[in-house]
Structures are given as structure tokens and as C-alpha cells.
Amino acid sequence: MELFNVYPVNPINIVKAQGSTVWDEQGTEYLDLYGGHAVISIGHTHPHYVKSITDQLNKIGFYSNSIMIPIQQQLAKQLGEVSGKTDYTLFLCNSGAEANENALKLASFHTGRKKVIAFSKSFHGRTSLAVAATDNPAIVAPVNETDNVIFLPFNDGEALEKSFKENGEEIAAVIIEGIQGVGGIREASVPFLKLIRSLCDQYGSVFIADSVQCGYGRTGTFFSHDYAGIDADIYSMAKGMGNGFPIGGIAISPKFKASYGMLGTTFGGNHLACAAAVSVLDIIKQDNLMENAAKVGSYLIEELKKFDQVLEVRGRGLMIGIELPTELAHVKKDLLSKNKIFTGEAKPNVIRLLPALNITNKIADQFLTAFEERLKA
């Protein structure tokens, strides 16, 4: 049997990782400033993370949600404390797509409505509802197509108000990334997020803050939407939550009432996943990683703005997009092949930086030196 060929892969076999450094099978060293799509939040193979999972595995690795799993409650308590959402409740699943799927489903249950507002260049996942709310027809199969999702221009308040006036009594939810990742590191404006909150309150709709990539401390606040000074009704999360161990979840405001069977999952919230997630929160708090993300991220952004060839630097904290002119679209590949630095991209010509939240200014300078070298090449 061969693998179903759906991933364009770099011909690199990473066999060892530590912090923000990874090594291939030849022993070649690489700097990882992408973390496998913003997943590595506390650094590869962090000792506390490894010990937490190992200790848990030596006790019990898995049982289903048909029994008490106290570490789930520990995770919920710590998540509430670190995020500041202490009165929210937590539903655990396995991925960001599942988190958004369950958020949209819960919104529909709560309101009794079907329509969802999403935005241009959004990415919410590949499962049925999540992909229907994703602005990329290439990954929406015919079975996923629906008239229930209304796509509006990102950061266009006038279009949003018009849509609510026309469809307000039918709108179950508005779903928005605080900073679009795949969409090119585009930040939702404070007035726009406040308008979403206001209109959702006015029409009884649910505000879903997709924090799968932009959350978990990456921007310097726990959820990137927090900079707008508003509370969403549901926050979806995944990627950085488990530092590589598959886990996702939604934080749910007190306005929602749970009932048995409303949501469910076999693997969600299993012992190992929760051990991984608890260890991540331990390190985020212990090492002040949100403050570090804000500090090092601000340094990187300001330094990147000094390069004349850069068209725009977007983002916040350690979620950074560097837009280059078309003739420099090769820089991302050259950084990997010539400088041995992993970065991400948003096509056609945006380099995405999504490093571990504990990188230092020294690592930032290493990237800046290599970036300058590539621009001059």
C-alpha cells in the first residue's frame, strides 16, 4: 500500500528535535520557525512535556468518556485561569476542524437556526461544516456545499450590518479568526470585532472566535480576539494546545446549556492528550510565554519593517506575515534550502512565521540575518 498523495512535501526527514532546532537523518541542523503550522508552542521535546506524557502513559493512556477522567477537569481549571475565561466550560475534541465543527453545531442547537456568516480568505478546517465556512472552493466537495454559509468581505462593517438586516433572524453564528493564517496573516480590526459582538447580541446570534492558529498565547494575549476588549460566545482552539499531541477544544460561555449526547467524541479528552495540554499550560504560565511572544514578536515586526524590499509586515506577537513582491516569491524556499530555516507561506508571496512562544531575540536575529542575506542574493 502506498500513501494517498495529497501533501506537497519537502524532501527532508526530520529525526530529532529540541526547542526550535530540528535535525534530519544526515545530522543537518535546521531552525524551526514554523512549528508544523503553529503547533509547537513550548518547543520540541520540552522536558516537562515529555515527562508529563511519559508519566501518564505509565499509568493509563486511554479510556473513553464513559468514566471519570479527573485530568480533564484539571485542564479545564488551568485553561480558565490562564485564559481569563474562568466562567466558561470546556468541551474537548481532537483537532481544530473538530473544534470549529462542534462550535458551529452548538450555535445551531442554541439558536435553532441554520445560517452562518464567514469571511473572505477564511480557513476553519476540512470537516463538513468547517470546510463549508472556509473560503476555498478547491477543498469543498459537492457534499459539503450549502446555501447556509454567507461569505462577506473581511473587516467590512457595512457589509456585515447589511447582511444582518437582511438575514438577522436566520443567522446562527458569525465565525471569524482573530488573525487569518492561511488567508495571509490578516488581522480583524478592533471596530469590526466589536461590531460582530454588538450585532450578535442584537440578533441573538453566536459569536465564534476561531483561535485554532491565532490563539493559545501566540499573539501575546491568550486568544487573539482579546485585544478588542470583547468576549466571544465560543472560542475554538487546537494547534498549540498540545505541542504536537492531537487535541482540540471549545471554551463555551455560560449562556449555553449542556445536555447528554449533544456533543460527543471517542478520543477527545483522553488521558494522554490532557497530560500534554496541562504541561503546555504549566510552561506558558511558569515561563511567561505570552509576554515573551509579545516582546520578541514586536522586535521581529519592527526589524522586518526596515527592509525596503518588504511590501508589508502583518500580524501580532509570534504570528507574523511578511509580504514580498512577486519577484521575491522564491525567498521562502531559499531560506529552507540555503539557510536551513523552516518558515510557512500564504500563497502567493507571504512568508509566515509561527515559531515556538519561547524563542529568544538571538533566534530572531538569526532569522533576520538569513532573511537579509536572501533579499540580497
Side-chain angles (χ1 to χ4, degrees):
M1 185 181 289
E2 296 290 331
L3 294 174
F4 196 53
N5 188 18
V6 293
Y7 301 115
V9 299
N10 294 302
I12 301 168
N13 178 20
I14 299 300
V15 297
K16 180 183 174 185
Q18 182 68 53
S20 289
T21 306
V22 297
W23 293 264
D24 67 16
E25 58 189 348
Q26 278 81 41
T28 304
E29 182 178 306
Y30 296 79
L31 176 62
D32 183 12
L33 296 183
Y34 192 55
H37 309 305
V39 166
I40 302 301
S41 51
I42 61 170
H44 292 281
T45 59
H46 190 289
H48 179 61
Y49 172 82
V50 173
K51 184 177 187 303
S52 296
I53 296 175
T54 304
D55 289 349
Q56 182 61 59
L57 184 58
N58 283 323
K59 297 173 186 173
I60 177 173
F62 172 79
Y63 207 84
S64 74
N65 286 294
S66 61
I67 58 156
M68 293 172 59
I69 304 178
I71 196 170
Q72 291 182 348
Q73 293 159 338
Q74 181 185 347
L75 172 57
K77 182 175 184 294
Q78 286 185 231
L79 181 60
E81 290 170 353
V82 175
S83 69
K85 313 296 182 189
T86 53
D87 59 343
Y88 283 52
T89 52
L90 178 64
F91 174 77
L92 291 165
C93 53
N94 309 283
S95 69
E98 286 177 69
N100 284 327
E101 191 86 10
N102 281 287
L104 290 162
K105 188 175 181 180
L106 184 57
S108 184
F109 272 136
H110 179 74
T111 61
R113 303 171 184 173
K114 296 180 179 180
K115 290 196 178 294
V116 172
I117 290 178
F119 299 98
S120 58
K121 297 192 176 181
S122 61
F123 186 95
H124 299 294
R126 293 175 182 270
T127 53
S128 187
L129 268 172
V131 82
T134 291
D135 185 24
N136 182 354
I139 65 171
V140 180
V143 73
N144 304 131
E145 292 173 359
T146 175
D147 294 330
N148 288 327
V149 178
I150 302 165
F151 286 101
L152 299 177
F154 191 67
N155 278 335
D156 188 332
E158 188 176 322
L160 182 65
E161 287 185 297
K162 183 174 184 288
S163 186
F164 263 101
K165 282 178 183 175
E166 294 172 353
N167 308 283
E169 303 305 321
E170 299 177 76
I171 295 170
V174 178
I175 184 167
I176 186 168
E177 300 153 270
I179 301 177
Q180 292 186 332
V182 174
I185 313 295
R186 298 193 305 155
E187 188 172 59
S189 72
V190 170
F192 195 60
L193 291 174
K194 287 185 172 179
L195 180 61
I196 293 172
R197 178 69 279 168
S198 173
L199 289 169
C200 284
D201 288 340
Q202 182 181 342
Y203 287 91
S205 304
V206 174
F207 183 169
I208 300 172
D210 180 344
S211 298
V212 170
Q213 185 174 132
C214 59
Y216 244 76
R218 177 155 296 281
T219 60
T221 56
F222 194 81
F223 297 118
S224 67
H225 306 69
D226 290 344
Y227 64 82
I230 48 91
D231 286 315
D233 299 311
I234 303 175
Y235 295 87
S236 59
M237 64 199 93
K239 296 193 184 297
M241 190 176 185
N243 201 53
F245 201 103
I247 184 169
I250 52 176
I252 305 161
S253 83
K255 70 170 65 174
F256 296 88
K257 180 175 171 51
S259 61
Y260 292 149
M262 176 186 277
L263 305 177
T265 167
T266 297
F267 297 106
N270 68 76
H271 297 76
L272 287 178
C274 288
V278 165
S279 72
V280 167
L281 289 173
D282 287 342
I283 299 305
I284 286 176
K285 182 177 180 180
Q286 173 189 304
D287 293 351
N288 299 312
L289 294 194
M290 286 191 284
E291 293 89 337
N292 188 70
K295 183 184 74 172
V296 180
S298 293
Y299 172 71
L300 264 170
I301 289 169
E302 290 309 309
E303 292 300 311
L304 286 165
K305 286 178 178 178
K306 296 176 183 178
F307 291 102
D308 293 336
Q309 299 99 315
V310 171
L311 298 179
E312 188 179 8
V313 182
R314 297 190 293 270
R316 187 181 289 258
L318 290 174
M319 186 168 184
I320 300 170
I322 309 163
E323 185 168 352
L324 296 172
T326 306
E327 62 269 22
L328 292 176
H330 59 86
V331 167
K332 187 257 181 188
K333 288 184 178 179
D334 289 348
L335 281 166
L336 180 58
S337 62
K338 298 175 181 177
N339 297 93
K340 309 304 179 188
I341 298 177
F342 279 97
T343 62
E345 68 180 336
K347 294 186 183 301
N349 53 350
V350 176
I351 293 175
R352 283 195 286 162
L353 300 183
L354 299 161
L357 307 187
N358 52 7
I359 68 163
T360 60
N361 276 25
K362 182 179 179 182
I363 289 176
D365 285 334
Q366 185 180 340
F367 170 75
L368 290 166
T369 299
F371 185 66
E372 182 176 21
E373 184 181 320
R374 295 277 61 83
L375 292 181
K376 289 179 177 179

